[in-house]
Amino acid sequence: MSNLKNKHSSSFLERISDLLKQSRASVLQYVNTTMVVTYFEIGKIIVEEEQNGKERAEYGKKVLKEVSKRLSSEFGRGFSVSNLQQMKKFFLTYEKQQTLSVKSETVSRISKNQFNLSWSHYLVLIKIENIEERNFYEIEAFKNQWSLRELKRQSNTALYERLVLSKDEKA
């Protein structure tokens, strides 16, 4: 009789444990996505503000320094001038991508503000100038659940270029 209880207890506890693990993963994904969307929107606001400035370059630097100082004092770390510049670049990279191609799976997700990777992943991706290559790595990283380290490794070993070359028989 106690054997049945142990088997039942084990299954019972495993189900609860699995549920808690799934819930934690969902919360992490939600927080990650919300953070990335927020950084995209911050980048958008920065770009819009700078475009209204008279001397854009000088004005932009002053604005970012002031914004950095105020956000850091109110919200803590994460709002250095370089981070704000990355948010701006993130917005410009993906906003530009939206206007160039509406057919891409990646672009349609982005237009709905559904970023599925971590901020760190996007910091790697925004360095890739070729839109098709960036889309490839973004989709593969999401589909295959690549860690940041794996994304960097695949990008550094030129996976995209090797696949493109392997499809091009002339090359």
Side-chain angles (χ1 to χ4, degrees), residues 73-153:
S73 70
E74 187 172 345
F75 297 102
R77 295 178 35 181
F79 298 99
S80 66
V81 171
S82 63
N83 282 352
L84 293 172
Q85 288 169 331
Q86 289 172 327
M87 292 174 202
K88 176 183 166 184
K89 183 174 181 177
F90 178 55
F91 169 75
L92 289 172
T93 299
Y94 281 90
E95 185 264 345
K96 181 171 88 175
Q97 183 173 324
Q98 276 182 277
T99 58
L100 292 177
S101 164
V102 209
K103 296 177 184 174
S104 166
E105 172 190 336
T106 307
V107 174
S108 64
R109 278 191 293 108
I110 289 161
S111 65
K112 296 175 190 169
N113 285 337
Q114 293 178 346
F115 298 100
N116 293 305
L117 300 172
S118 73
W119 175 242
S120 299
H121 283 80
Y122 286 106
L123 290 178
V124 171
L125 291 168
I126 62 175
K127 293 176 185 171
I128 300 172
E129 294 297 323
N130 180 327
I131 293 172
E132 288 156 5
E133 181 179 355
R134 185 173 50 248
N135 284 347
F136 168 81
Y137 285 116
E138 182 177 5
I139 291 166
E140 290 301 310
F142 175 69
K143 261 187 357 189
N144 297 303
Q145 298 181 331
W146 286 350
S147 64
L148 179 60
R149 175 184 274 171
E150 184 65 14
L151 172 60
K152 286 178 179 179
R153 189 182 77 74

Side-chain angles (χ1 to χ4, degrees), residues 1 3 5 14 24 26-27 29 31 53 68 72 92-93 104 106 109 112 133 137-138 142 147 156-158 161 168:
M1 192 98 147
N3 222 4
K5 283 185 179 178
E14 284 177 29
R24 285 181 178 173
S26 287
V27 167
Q29 181 61 41
V31 168
S68 171
S72 295
L92 289 172
T93 299
S104 166
T106 307
R109 278 191 293 108
K112 296 175 190 169
E133 181 179 355
Y137 285 116
E138 182 177 5
F142 175 69
S147 64
N156 290 339
T157 60
E161 289 88 354
D168 183 9

